[in-house]
Amino acid sequence: MVLNLASKSMALTYTEISTMMAHPESDLMEECLKEDLKFYFMNPCEKYRARHQIPWKLGLQILKIVMVTTQLVLFGLNNQLVVSFKEDNTVAFKHLFLKGYSGVDEDDYSCSVYTQEDVYESMFFIINQYHRLKNISLGMLGYEENEDDRIGLRVCKQHYKKGTVLPSNYTLNIDSEVEIDCIHLDPQVLNSENSGHWMNSSFFSLEFYRLLQVEISFNLKGIDLQTIHARELPDCYVFHNIITFDNKAHSGRIKIYFDTEANIQECKGLHVSGSSQKNTQYILMFDVFVIVSCVTSLILCTRSIVLALRLQKRFTRFFLEKYKRRVNDADRWEFINGWYILVIISDLMTITGSILKMEIKEKNLTNYDLCSILLGTSTLFAWVGVIRYLGYFQTYNVLILTMQASLPKVLRFCACAGMIYLGYTFCGWIVIGPYHEKVRYRAPSLFHQWSKYLEHKDLFSQELP
Amino acid sequence: MVLNLASKSMALTYTEISTMMAHPESDLMEECLKEDLKFYFMNPCEKYRARHQIPWKLGLQILKIVMVTTQLVLFGLNNQLVVSFKEDNTVAFKHLFLKGYSGVDEDDYSCSVYTQEDVYESMFFIINQYHRLKNISLGMLGYEENEDDRIGLRVCKQHYKKGTVLPSNYTLNIDSEVEIDCIHLDPQVLNSENSGHWMNSSFFSLEFYRLLQVEISFNLKGIDLQTIHARELPDCYVFHNIITFDNKAHSGRIKIYFDTEANIQECKGLHVSGSSQKNTQYILMFDVFVIVSCVTSLILCTRSIVLALRLQKRFTRFFLEKYKRRVNDADRWEFINGWYILVIISDLMTITGSILKMEIKEKNLTNYDLCSILLGTSTLFAWVGVIRYLGYFQTYNVLILTMQASLPKVLRFCACAGMIYLGYTFCGWIVIGPYHEKVRYRAPSLFHQWSKYLEHKDLFSQELP
Amino acid sequence: MVLNLASKSMALTYTEISTMMAHPESDLMEECLKEDLKFYFMNPCEKYRARHQIPWKLGLQILKIVMVTTQLVLFGLNNQLVVSFKEDNTVAFKHLFLKGYSGVDEDDYSCSVYTQEDVYESMFFIINQYHRLKNISLGMLGYEENEDDRIGLRVCKQHYKKGTVLPSNYTLNIDSEVEIDCIHLDPQVLNSENSGHWMNSSFFSLEFYRLLQVEISFNLKGIDLQTIHARELPDCYVFHNIITFDNKAHSGRIKIYFDTEANIQECKGLHVSGSSQKNTQYILMFDVFVIVSCVTSLILCTRSIVLALRLQKRFTRFFLEKYKRRVNDADRWEFINGWYILVIISDLMTITGSILKMEIKEKNLTNYDLCSILLGTSTLFAWVGVIRYLGYFQTYNVLILTMQASLPKVLRFCACAGMIYLGYTFCGWIVIGPYHEKVRYRAPSLFHQWSKYLEHKDLFSQELP
Amino acid sequence: MVLNLASKSMALTYTEISTMMAHPESDLMEECLKEDLKFYFMNPCEKYRARHQIPWKLGLQILKIVMVTTQLVLFGLNNQLVVSFKEDNTVAFKHLFLKGYSGVDEDDYSCSVYTQEDVYESMFFIINQYHRLKNISLGMLGYEENEDDRIGLRVCKQHYKKGTVLPSNYTLNIDSEVEIDCIHLDPQVLNSENSGHWMNSSFFSLEFYRLLQVEISFNLKGIDLQTIHARELPDCYVFHNIITFDNKAHSGRIKIYFDTEANIQECKGLHVSGSSQKNTQYILMFDVFVIVSCVTSLILCTRSIVLALRLQKRFTRFFLEKYKRRVNDADRWEFINGWYILVIISDLMTITGSILKMEIKEKNLTNYDLCSILLGTSTLFAWVGVIRYLGYFQTYNVLILTMQASLPKVLRFCACAGMIYLGYTFCGWIVIGPYHEKVRYRAPSLFHQWSKYLEHKDLFSQELP
């Protein structure tokens, strides 16, 4: 779909049309069509001057921008709280469970260990901290059930199978098949009198030469109470934590990854008294008002497009009758105002987004992400739409037309430079990369990330039997 | 008010006027007015050539710039000392009272703790350090009275009320109402033989699940002796320190904020002997001299404007009589020299600022901030005023006129780009923000700060009963 | 060799030729030559329109770009693994052997010590860690033989000879000749019951005033098992580690350098069972396919060049006969299409690189570096070659011609500015350098590095007797 | 003196002259002068074509650039060693004497302490480390005599006098006069059996409320042996170390400054045997060769200028006789070639610098700084001189002339923008500065540094009685 961004082409079309119609044998119908066309390609100011038609649509758009932006800011502040709650929890978990965590991740992994002793200490530290969680944690955390409906830690180690031992002792026998061993430690076991007994189990004597990774996973539940302050119901979270000791590279360095996934869930067994939810109601009313104005704008714009299509049909028929020629496609597209389509899309997104937002507010839904995409994109469209009105002022129009004209040249240059850059990237990555840190990580990060992702997927599918 | 920044338009007006007056029936009065007008729109050099009038005003302005700048530098160095004293004290307090403070703040908070043990240790560390303050601090610090006229620490904890307990034990009952509990610890209590007794009080057993924040506040007094070196009387300060353990997010991470507010107060019970205050007197004399020259400049400029208004009236009357037409507004504004108004404003600010500066020097006032705004802005105006004289040279005039001409185009482009940027900002913040650290903190910092500020205000108003 | 990057000059030549041939007495042969020339300077689209010749070469090039890029990415990911294995091992070694290593190198050295005690501790730490290696290291490391076929550490100290002692005690006697003392510590010695005995040997009482450097070197072997995961045979490595305590500056600061060199070697005594190498075969097949397509492209391009040379000869002869003049050199070069030569070079490199890659895959060769240079450069050439096809579109051609035209001016300006910059660099380095950190290290890094390198070489040649 | 940077104006002059002389009554003398003038304003290529005069001067200049640059690089590498020796020593001293030194300075001070205990510990640490220096230091350090010819530490504390005590106890009495107390601790005292006795002396009980600063100063001697390696004699150094505990701000934070000043001195009692100084001789020969070529260049250029002045005199006389007019100043300046003067200055500096360099090499002088300024500047001039030869090529000449023409416009714009910037700087510093860290330290750093410097000077003059 082509967005005819400025009225230049319209003006041209209009003059074209005028000259076409300047024939003497024009009858009443032609005169009427001419008048309608003229009016159709006017801007709001001219319309007002011509027929004293008040620009309702223009006013509605301006009102909508103000409202949509306000709504976005309100939602954004709310969303910020949710995101920062998740992040703060992740940081807190890292400090609680990772031994010697410095406060910043080293790379995509949190920290790394270099000696066997450190590996054991880090593992036992995690298990002990999990055990003592209620006594050390500052948050409202509780143990939550695993996927297999048991409460506790799940420690899995993944290693190559031992190969068949050959007579000569000096050879290393490894089977490339991967084995997975798991153990389940529930709080009762950890709590029993002979605590620390589990440490001596054969499971925890690792054979580093064939170890691929150790994965400690556990679920925790938490409550985000800060929403109480805004007189809303609190959100409940389940945190799926996975700590991975990655020895896949066998390079003498085990990288410790900490992955946490926070899901919002329905709160059970939580009673909040004294919360008067008047605040929420005002916001819901505001959302309803936004929806109403968007629906109105939607109806007005749809009507405009329908009228435009009807006018186009009339014009086409007239043109065919009079000049025995079909109107060409470009001229027909002139009748479809791209801005209206933009507004319609924006309106549809705002309506969907607002409904989602209200549902989230009512704690029926929790998908903040979809809602933020809908509201954000619709606001972007609304603001971009302002450029259309700037196009009505002559000086700005020149600016917009210049930008329109120069765009293809810029794109063309980029295409040309892009070729060389792409070649350079591939070449630079592979030739210079291994010897220079910056090139290695910047240029091919796309491929790197992508390959890692694939590899990761691959491993996961192997893990689960 | 319009500042006619260059003499171009004046020149135009002048030629206009000349042609208007080129009529043959000009009598003596007209000739005289013509002469006066011609002289009025001359620049200092031309005036000197025409009537050998020495440009006093020009000289005075140059002298003023030198003096005002010197004064600003002197005041600035003094102000620097005050600011750095406050800051050094803040840094020292953070090292004294925050356990494990690394020397740099993490964000807007100083440090953060993640375990219950650390919270207690940090709290008790503050109280103990406060107790031993005289023995550890390097500065001249003393205990100062609180707002309620008592010496000592005030520890306040803020938490949600416990809700009514339901029979089932597995539910969490919270009332969204906020309760505040305070305790006062004066040095005597801390000093008593069973020291540490207070630690075991029930107040210090925090229930983290409903804790909102703990606030430890105390006042200290200090003396800034370094002014003695400059042969001035020392300033005395009262530091209001508030250390906040913020658990509002309930995310398992308690952020520790350290806020200190330093107020300059009258020094009591401090005797400094041997300080001969001759230095101060020279500076006061210099300030007086600045005031005198500013008053002179003020009078001269006011006189010029009065004369200009009189000339304008004469010209208007003459024009009305001769051409039966009113002089239009733009031409009348030509008579008001915008630069003079700039100078007058600058002078008024310098005079007020200088008087303030003298009062501060005499320790009668302490509002460095207002004084720095007045002196700083007046100096800025004085330097900007130099551009006017550059406008008299032809080559520079071209430059200035070009800048004047291109400004609207630049602004127009900015407006257009701004629309897209605003839309992008809102959209980017909400859509990309939560997943990318940089976007989150940069784009909406305005809203973020603002919302935090509001929230903060809100809490404070709730705190005080 | 000149690459005629755009078809502009060709077009000119073509019109030239046409006008030359516009004489009436043109016979059949001339007509034929004219036709051939016309066809030769056409681009693929025109050729297709003229003789319906399908552009095989163009299609092949596009196919080749896709394949070469895929191959490069596959090889690059593989190469990345090798490089990161080496680097991770280096980092792990630094953490294992350097006492108090912070995780980042200070400059080109890893860390530095300032007291005698620290020097001894660092040295003994290395020796002890080497001894306990099997018990602490996470990697699959084993002791490897030195150059002199012994397993163990080699500690060498290098110092100035003591001069002849003069009667007066207060003088320092040093001979500028350098002496080297070495000791060999094998694991058995370190393991013997009176462990720590070696510490007390006179070798380890250093005389710092004449000490130049201590060098501890040892070899370790390791296995990169992660290739098993990709169903390939593992690589075996030998790490030559050299830790140097550099006291050459005698400035009270001994810098500790850690140098490690990893060589891939044939794996002995390693049996991997269960590895089905199907994956490798697909990749080998792909490589073969790349080679085949490159050979085809090579043949086609060579043929084109041969045909072009033949055409050139025909044209030269005809021109000589008809106009009794030799065709000038520039016109003769027009027949040689630079792009073809680029493609031929690229193809030759791809073929060599692919063969190397297959050998590396089969573990017959290990020189990743040469292979990456060959494949990388050939891919760069292939992408740059795309510009040629862009030159066929008129708008892009303008772009390319503009770039060609502006290049000499830009170079000329750079030359001029370069003179001043060079002078500034030399002057700035020597005059400002010693007093400003940034200038010192940026400007003359070339000379610095170079001189250090020379010095290093020099020392090494002295070391070996 | 004006440097006529391009030959444009010369060419103009030349055509002027030609037209002047185009009169028919030209006699032999005139013809001869015309010829000489024509030749004088030719460039080397034209001269060669006209009279087959080989451009000795041009060749000499090119040779000189190569030699001067080589010399500079050689000297620079040497200078680098000296500078890095001083710096490494400073770093080593900071690690040896400052307790808890992190390895990087905090600002212009090395570290800061916040409690009374830390102050005492830091002070005693310095004294103890000084005492044990021989046993801990890695460098060849020895105690050196102070200014008062005694070996040992000098601890000076500077504080305000206690004022007369008033009856009421709650007042603080301070006299603004500054008192200085010093103590001398020689190694013997520190070494005596009751070591640590000095710690309990009343001198070391500091009264922080009136303490201004504590200054610990001591001298050490060291030897830079690394020159032996380059077969030169070693340099001996005396390090004047001053450690200052600065409490002038009385802000609860004592900043610790470490200042070290290294002076090269004659080595006594050091015998280096076995050093064959052949290397030095080659470098000295090279320096002599540089001097010879510079002297030659100097003579040639001086001769050219003398000839030019003579030619100018002839021309002036002829012009006066013929046209009865004096040649104007601008035309007379055309005869003086600015480039020659640049070359002469450069030559004089190189000669002086080379002689200095030889003296430094022979250990007769040690002022590396002056030598580096002379050699550096002369090299800069030599490289800038290359631009002159570029001016002979037409395309480069255009470039140079354009740069010459646009310079005044650029400067004019800068002047105009500078005014506004200056005003903004002053205003911004004083108004925004105290509330924003970046502005505070950037804009007024000039004044800040300058004021600190003055203050420092002032204190020093007070210290010495």
Side-chain angles (χ1 to χ4, degrees), chain D residues 5-39:
Chain D
L5 281 157
S7 59
K8 189 199 75 167
S9 42
M10 301 182 200
L12 286 177
T13 316
Y14 168 63
T15 49
E16 243 177 81
I17 295 160
S18 311
T19 50
M20 283 170 194
M21 292 175 174
H23 292 276
E25 62 267 37
S26 59
D27 57 349
L28 192 75
M29 194 200 104
E30 189 180 330
E31 202 59 42
C32 176
L33 177 62
K34 201 170 158 182
E35 199 61 31
D36 282 0
L37 281 170
K38 204 172 177 176
F39 187 72

Side-chain angles (χ1 to χ4, degrees), chain A residues 24-236:
Chain A
E25 63 266 38
S26 60
D27 56 349
L28 192 73
M29 195 200 103
E30 188 180 332
E31 202 58 43
C32 176
L33 177 61
K34 200 170 158 183
E35 198 61 31
D36 281 1
L37 281 170
K38 205 173 178 177
F39 187 71
Y40 181 74
F41 286 109
M42 276 176 180
N43 70 37
C45 297
E46 292 166 355
K47 279 185 188 169
Y48 179 75
R49 269 189 231 113
R51 300 197 190 171
H52 286 279
Q53 185 180 325
I54 295 159
W56 295 114
K57 260 189 317 225
L58 176 57
L60 188 63
Q61 293 310 319
I62 289 164
L63 178 72
K64 230 184 60 190
I65 285 177
V66 174
M67 288 175 68
V68 165
T69 310
T70 314
Q71 191 193 32
L72 187 73
V73 170
L74 288 173
F75 178 74
L77 292 173
N78 228 349
N79 196 13
Q80 199 93 313
L81 281 184
V82 171
V83 170
S84 75
F85 178 76
K86 286 182 186 175
E87 270 184 15
D88 276 6
N89 262 299
T90 306
V91 172
F93 287 152
K94 282 181 184 170
H95 275 96
L96 283 183
F97 292 112
L98 299 183
K99 197 170 182 247
Y101 181 61
S102 68
V104 270
D105 284 6
E106 287 184 33
D107 196 11
D108 55 342
Y109 51 94
S110 295
C111 51
S112 42
V113 286
Y114 299 93
T115 60
Q116 299 180 8
E117 204 184 337
D118 285 349
V119 174
Y120 287 117
E121 276 179 6
S122 297
M123 273 172 55
F124 296 157
F125 185 80
I126 294 164
I127 297 168
N128 281 324
Q129 291 289 87
Y130 177 77
H131 175 213
R132 302 192 302 139
L133 193 62
K134 295 253 176 183
N135 296 324
I136 54 167
S137 160
L138 293 172
M140 272 189 287
L141 295 175
Y143 299 129
E144 177 70 12
E145 294 170 351
N146 272 345
E147 296 88 46
D148 45 356
D149 291 335
R150 291 171 67 184
I151 280 176
L153 281 158
R154 192 160 169 270
V155 187
C156 284
K157 60 179 184 181
Q158 194 178 334
H159 44 71
Y160 291 119
K161 256 187 194 162
K162 228 176 208 163
T164 49
V165 186
L166 295 181
S168 79
N169 269 329
Y170 294 109
T171 55
L172 180 64
N173 291 284
I174 275 179
D175 190 331
S176 70
E177 292 298 311
V178 174
E179 244 183 8
I180 297 172
D181 254 7
C182 285
I183 202 173
H184 186 89
L185 296 168
D186 52 15
Q188 278 76 34
V189 166
L190 296 170
N191 220 2
S192 62
E193 61 258 47
N194 50 359
S195 67
H197 187 71
W198 52 267
M199 283 193 204
N200 303 320
S201 84
S202 69
F203 180 86
F204 285 108
S205 68
L206 307 169
E207 286 171 311
F208 289 100
Y209 73 92
R210 60 189 187 104
L211 182 76
L212 274 170
Q213 66 172 28
V214 177
E215 210 181 80
I216 302 178
S217 59
F218 53 90
N219 288 358
L220 297 173
K221 59 183 173 192
I223 305 169
D224 181 9
L225 267 187
Q226 65 189 327
T227 48
I228 290 186
H229 187 71
R231 311 211 182 283
E232 288 180 38
L233 280 171
D235 291 323
C236 284

Side-chain angles (χ1 to χ4, degrees), chain C residues 109-361:
Chain C
Y109 51 94
S110 295
C111 50
S112 42
V113 285
Y114 298 94
T115 60
Q116 299 180 6
E117 205 184 337
D118 284 349
V119 174
Y120 287 117
E121 276 179 5
S122 297
M123 274 171 54
F124 296 157
F125 184 79
I126 294 164
I127 297 168
N128 280 325
Q129 290 289 87
Y130 177 79
H131 175 212
R132 303 191 302 139
L133 195 61
K134 295 255 175 181
N135 296 324
I136 53 168
S137 160
L138 294 171
M140 273 188 287
L141 295 174
Y143 300 129
E144 178 69 12
E145 294 171 354
N146 274 344
E147 297 88 44
D148 45 357
D149 292 333
R150 292 171 67 186
I151 279 174
L153 281 158
R154 193 162 167 269
V155 187
C156 284
K157 62 179 184 181
Q158 193 178 335
H159 44 69
Y160 291 119
K161 256 189 196 160
K162 229 177 208 162
T164 49
V165 186
L166 293 183
S168 79
N169 270 327
Y170 295 110
T171 55
L172 180 64
N173 291 284
I174 275 179
D175 191 330
S176 71
E177 293 296 312
V178 174
E179 245 182 7
I180 297 172
D181 255 6
C182 285
I183 202 173
H184 186 90
L185 296 168
D186 51 15
Q188 278 76 32
V189 167
L190 296 169
N191 220 2
S192 61
E193 61 258 46
N194 50 359
S195 68
H197 187 70
W198 51 268
M199 283 192 204
N200 302 321
S201 84
S202 68
F203 179 86
F204 285 109
S205 68
L206 306 170
E207 285 172 311
F208 289 99
Y209 74 93
R210 61 190 187 103
L211 183 76
L212 274 170
Q213 66 173 26
V214 176
E215 211 180 79
I216 302 178
S217 58
F218 53 91
N219 288 357
L220 297 173
K221 57 184 173 191
I223 304 168
D224 181 9
L225 267 187
Q226 64 190 324
T227 48
I228 290 188
H229 187 69
R231 311 211 181 284
E232 288 180 40
L233 280 172
D235 290 323
C236 284
Y237 288 83
V238 170
F239 299 99
H240 304 276
N241 295 326
I242 301 177
I243 301 168
T244 313
F245 291 74
D246 182 0
N247 193 32
K248 278 195 212 88
H250 283 94
S251 62
R253 169 196 214 173
I254 286 184
K255 294 172 181 173
I256 303 179
Y257 293 84
F258 190 99
D259 293 305
T260 189
E261 202 192 314
N263 295 319
I264 300 181
Q265 289 200 339
E266 205 191 335
C267 283
K268 296 172 218 158
L270 178 75
H271 293 274
V272 175
S273 53
S275 73
S276 50
Q277 292 173 334
K278 58 184 171 179
N279 233 355
T280 317
Q281 288 168 347
Y282 287 126
I283 283 175
L284 288 183
M285 272 171 61
F286 178 74
D287 287 337
V288 169
F289 196 54
V290 169
I291 292 175
V292 167
S293 66
C294 282
V295 167
T296 321
S297 156
L298 188 65
I299 292 168
L300 286 176
C301 287
T302 317
R303 184 179 142 268
S304 293
I305 285 189
V306 168
L307 291 179
L309 286 176
R310 232 180 263 166
L311 189 64
Q312 180 205 346
K313 208 173 278 175
R314 262 172 71 198
F315 175 67
T316 320
R317 206 182 307 123
F318 164 80
F319 202 80
L320 195 66
E321 281 172 14
K322 184 132 185 190
Y323 302 98
K324 313 291 175 237
R325 255 197 315 135
R326 293 189 62 88
V327 181
N328 66 336
D329 268 14
D331 283 348
R332 288 170 79 175
W333 275 112
E334 288 294 329
F335 283 87
I336 312 291
N337 193 334
W339 293 112
Y340 287 148
I341 292 163
L342 193 73
V343 169
I344 287 172
I345 294 171
S346 169
D347 283 341
L348 287 173
M349 291 174 93
T350 309
I351 293 165
T352 327
S354 298
I355 293 166
L356 261 178
K357 183 168 172 289
M358 286 161 75
E359 289 290 309
I360 289 169
K361 206 80 194 170

